[in-house]
Amino acid sequence: EDERDARDGEEHEVEAALKGRGFDTITLEGMSVDEQLDAVASAEIIVMPIGGGSPVTMFAPLDCKIIELGFSDIIGVFASACWADVLGQSYARVNGAPGDQIGALHIDRDYAIDPEQVLALL
């Protein structure tokens, strides 16, 4: 098993742990805007990676819990944290261990999240 497969396995561990708690996996990229808004507007908890897609949480219900996944080298505050503060949503960030750089930006990095840290926030 190469390093990339190991990281993908860790990502699947988080997904599997959440599915075991009744979560659905939604990939917004393959959905229409209406489908995206409907999915987010009916969410009770959103677990998502840090990054450019985080503003979508502004369309989540006020009582929605937002859990953002990242790594400790990223110190910035992203839109999901800002919207949670403005809207009064519950917000938490889980930082994993940073891995390989996979793109030009510092945020373009693999990272490993401990599924138990995520489950503890549910």
Side-chain angles (χ1 to χ4, degrees), residues 6-71:
R7 284 190 304 276
D8 288 345
E10 290 162 349
E11 180 177 318
H12 294 300
E13 285 180 24
V14 172
E15 186 176 347
L18 291 171
K19 281 188 177 190
R21 297 281 181 100
F23 280 73
D24 292 322
T25 300
I26 301 201
T27 304
L28 297 178
E29 297 90 42
M31 301 169 75
S32 71
V33 172
D34 286 343
E35 291 169 329
Q36 291 178 32
L37 293 174
D38 287 344
V40 172
S42 63
E44 294 175 23
I45 301 173
I46 297 174
V47 180
M48 64 184 300
I50 223 169
S54 65
V56 75
T57 60
M58 77 174 88
F59 299 109
L62 299 181
D63 60 350
C64 184
K65 183 181 286 190
I66 311 297
I67 301 172
E68 190 174 61
L69 308 177
F71 56 97

Side-chain angles (χ1 to χ4, degrees), residues 19 101 116 120:
K19 281 188 177 190
Q101 187 78 27
E116 293 303 317

